[in-house]
């Protein structure tokens, strides 16, 4: 019986989930060498929101963070999260940008790229998977787990087989809302182990309070790897605790073999960092609470906080429960998309508009229109002609791979920002987040040449509460 391995998320999803990805590179480096000694399967350090947060809030170069971490980690594989054709942003990018981004990610130190698509449309994974393998990386294809009349065990088994055929080196069951229940996990993992030959990893969040049990049943069914977070940044909307998982499996057939004492000592390093973010108001105690309603409405923790913010700006926080009830209806109208970036933002914003304006689909964001037009990919369930008519009228729906509509961009970008380029990676930074990138490049120039940044019309970056 193979012992389950552990991917530690402290440098990516753990702090993304609890402190809006605000942990700085200087807070990571002092403990990196000790983390390298533990024997984790991998350490998730990059991707997701880390890239945007480095530039927007920390005035850090995300590529430089990766290089610094790679220099310290001699034994442990480094992992990142990639949104398929969306890369680290919220729209589709042309193939040339995707291929170059993947190549540079691996070139700067990433070993494993977890690749997902918000609609589980595997056409949006192909370029990333092929580029990862071409550059010598491990391509992990991720299922965006959700529940609906069509998202059943057989759906996920079929999807996983397609991912394996496409060249995926492993499969991740990515349960972003914490809604995968223990016995469902046992059944899903058991069937996948019979149907596919590549390793299976399980990723969940503690939002609804069941992730520990889900991991245990997944491990009993033969899952190869689970994602956990060191205790100071675990639980709540983050992952189950690493120390607790190691202890729970000790002296069983599933003993991880990891040194609990060493891991507990490393966890102590992060306690004052956690306290600092609590004092600064960045770690909100609300994200540490169990929210069992997630099992009913499937709304991830991050999406809930976005909804509160949107309603507060409109002076309509009293309509919060109405919006929560509207979300499943909008999701059904739109073909049951999984509530993960960028679909969670689209469904949430549409639900807010429907309730605040008192009429469904009176106002529709451009992203939702583009989604209905097929420009994000294919929904699991076809959208009804009635809903299409309301949202896009008689406009045509595109049925091809969305990225096939996009022209190559790299050369154009290079010429647009030639005065700022100091490394090849700057082109990709600008492609991902143009406005934020220019602001960062100007800061970088100001620091390099000791110029007052106000001369470059750049606002100082601050930590938002």
């Amino acid at each position: 019986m193979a012992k389950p391995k552990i991917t530690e998320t402290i440098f990516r999803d753990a702090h993304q989930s609890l402190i809006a990805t605000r942990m700085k590179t200087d807070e990571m480096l002092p403990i990196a060498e000790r983390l390298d000694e533990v024997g984790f399967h991998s350490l998730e350090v990059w991707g997701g929101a880390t890239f945007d947060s480095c530039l927007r809030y920390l005035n850090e170069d995300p590529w430089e963070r990766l290089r610094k971490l790679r220099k310290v980690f001699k034994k442990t594989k480094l992992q990142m999260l990639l949104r398929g054709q969306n890369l680290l942003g919220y729209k589709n990018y042309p193939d040339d940008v995707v291929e170059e981004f993947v190549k540079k990610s691996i070139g700067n130190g990433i070993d494993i790229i977890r690749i997902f698509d918000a609609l589980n449309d595997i056409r949006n994974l192909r370029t990333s998977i092929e580029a990862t393998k071409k550059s010598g990386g491990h391509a992990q294809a991720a299922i965006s787990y959700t529940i609906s009349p069509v998202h059943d065990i057989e759906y996920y088994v079929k999807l996983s087989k397609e991912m394996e055929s496409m060249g995926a080196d492993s499969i991740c069951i990515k349960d972003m809302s914490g809604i995968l229940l223990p016995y469902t996990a046992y059944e899903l993992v058991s069937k996948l182990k019979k149907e596919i030959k590549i390793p299976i990893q399980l990723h969940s969040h503690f939002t609804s309070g069941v992730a520990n049990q889900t991991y245990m049943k997944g491990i009993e069914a033969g899952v190869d790897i689970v994602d956990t977070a060191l205790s100071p940044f675990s639980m709540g909307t983050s992952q189950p605790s690493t120390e607790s998982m190691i202890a729970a499996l000790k002296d069983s057939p599933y003993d991880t073999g990891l040194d609990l004492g060493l891991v507990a000592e490393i966890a102590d390093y992060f306690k004052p960092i956690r306290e600092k973010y609590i004092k600064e108001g960045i770690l909100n105690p609300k994200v540490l609470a169990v929210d069992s309603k997630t099992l009913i409405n499937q709304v991830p923790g991050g999406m809930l906080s976005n909804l509160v913010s949107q309603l507060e700006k409109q002076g309509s926080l009293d309509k919060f429960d109405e919006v929560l009830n509207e979300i499943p209806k909008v999701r059904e109208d739109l073909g049951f998309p999984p509530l993960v970036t960028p679909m969670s933002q689209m469904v949430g914003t549409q639900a807010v508009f429907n309730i605040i304006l008192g009429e469904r689909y009176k106002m529709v964001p451009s992203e939702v229109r583009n989604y209905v037009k097929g420009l994000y990919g294919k929904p699991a369930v076809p959208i009804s002609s009635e809903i299409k008519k309301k949202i896009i009228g008689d406009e045509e729906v595109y049925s091809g791979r969305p990225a096939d509509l996009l022209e190559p961009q790299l050369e154009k970008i290079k010429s647009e920002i030639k005065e700022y380029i100091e490394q090849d990676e700057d082109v990709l930074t600008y492609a991902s987040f143009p406005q934020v990138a220019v602001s960062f490049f100007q800061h970088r120039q100001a620091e390099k040449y000791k110029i007052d940044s106000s001369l470059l019309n750049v606002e100082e970056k601050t930590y938002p509460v």
Side-chain angles (χ1 to χ4, degrees), residues 45-46 66 70 78-80 105-113:
V45 300
W46 216 60
L66 177 54
R70 179 75 277 170
L78 299 185
Q79 184 168 321
M80 73 172 289
S105 299
I106 292 170
N108 280 278
I110 290 294
D111 300 293
I112 301 167
I113 302 186

Side-chain angles (χ1 to χ4, degrees), residues 1-4 219 249-256:
M1 186 178 293
K3 294 176 187 287
I219 287 166
L249 297 170
K250 192 168 172 54
D251 298 327
S252 78
Y254 312 105
D255 194 324
T256 63

Side-chain angles (χ1 to χ4, degrees), residues 65-337:
R65 170 182 291 186
L66 177 54
R67 289 190 286 264
K68 284 178 177 177
L69 290 171
R70 179 75 277 170
K71 200 172 176 183
V72 180
F73 286 101
K74 314 279 188 196
K75 304 172 184 176
T76 313
K77 288 178 180 174
L78 299 185
Q79 184 168 321
M80 73 172 289
L81 181 69
L82 195 77
R83 299 177 188 136
Q85 206 72 30
N86 295 164
L87 294 177
L88 305 178
Y90 309 100
K91 64 175 187 177
N92 283 317
Y93 293 90
D95 286 341
D96 66 331
V97 174
V98 173
E99 287 162 359
E100 186 66 11
F101 198 100
V102 168
K103 180 183 170 185
K104 289 295 184 189
S105 299
I106 292 170
N108 280 278
I110 290 294
D111 300 293
I112 301 167
I113 302 186
R114 178 177 294 169
I115 304 161
F116 78 95
D117 178 64
L119 296 173
N120 289 316
D121 186 335
I122 62 167
R123 299 173 304 172
N124 293 335
L125 304 178
R126 185 180 297 280
T127 302
S128 303
I129 288 174
E130 289 175 354
T132 300
K133 293 174 77 72
K134 186 179 177 183
S135 292
H138 176 111
Q140 181 176 86
I143 293 164
S144 295
Y145 183 80
T146 190
I147 301 166
S148 82
V150 294
H151 291 94
D152 55 14
I153 299 285
E154 293 314 312
Y155 169 90
Y156 291 121
V157 170
K158 179 175 179 287
L159 179 64
S160 299
K161 287 167 84 170
E162 289 172 349
M163 289 170 166
E164 184 180 35
S165 299
M166 191 178 271
D169 297 304
S170 62
I171 300 288
C172 175
I173 303 165
K174 178 178 163 59
D175 173 26
M176 54 278 174
S177 304
I179 57 173
L180 175 59
L181 296 173
Y183 289 96
T184 308
Y186 186 88
E187 185 184 357
L188 175 56
V189 173
S190 298
K191 289 204 172 172
L192 286 177
K193 292 301 283 186
K194 287 176 187 168
E195 296 283 348
I196 65 174
K197 296 182 174 64
I198 55 179
I200 300 164
Q201 186 152 356
L202 182 52
H203 169 94
S204 189
H205 291 250
F206 203 78
T207 317
S208 67
V210 301
N212 275 342
Q213 298 96 306
T214 296
Y215 276 16
M216 295 299 272
K217 293 306 290 183
I219 287 166
E220 286 176 11
V223 88
D224 298 280
I225 313 146
V226 292
D227 287 8
T228 62
L230 288 167
S231 57
F233 286 94
S234 72
M235 314 296 274
T237 52
S238 178
Q239 280 73 54
S241 155
T242 303
E243 302 98 292
S244 303
M245 190 58 55
I246 292 170
L249 297 170
K250 192 168 172 54
D251 298 327
S252 78
Y254 312 105
D255 194 324
T256 63
L258 301 181
D259 182 343
L260 180 58
L262 171 61
V263 177
E265 280 177 29
I266 293 168
D268 284 342
Y269 168 84
F270 291 97
K271 288 177 181 175
I273 295 174
R274 170 194 161 104
E275 290 308 309
K276 184 193 88 166
Y277 286 109
I278 289 174
K279 282 176 187 167
E280 290 178 5
I282 293 172
L283 176 49
N284 187 325
K286 284 182 181 176
V287 300
L288 298 172
V290 167
D291 184 1
S292 57
K293 281 188 179 174
T294 306
L295 297 168
I296 301 164
N297 57 38
Q298 298 193 47
V299 176
M303 185 176 171
L304 277 175
S305 55
N306 283 342
L307 289 175
V308 169
S309 174
Q310 283 180 316
L311 289 168
E312 278 179 339
K313 284 175 186 171
Q314 300 292 328
S316 303
L317 198 52
D318 58 315
K319 298 187 184 295
F320 182 69
D321 287 336
E322 284 181 72
V323 171
L324 271 189
N325 292 332
E326 176 68 6
I327 284 171
K329 297 171 189 172
V330 172
R331 186 170 168 254
E332 182 174 358
D333 289 344
L334 298 181
F336 293 105

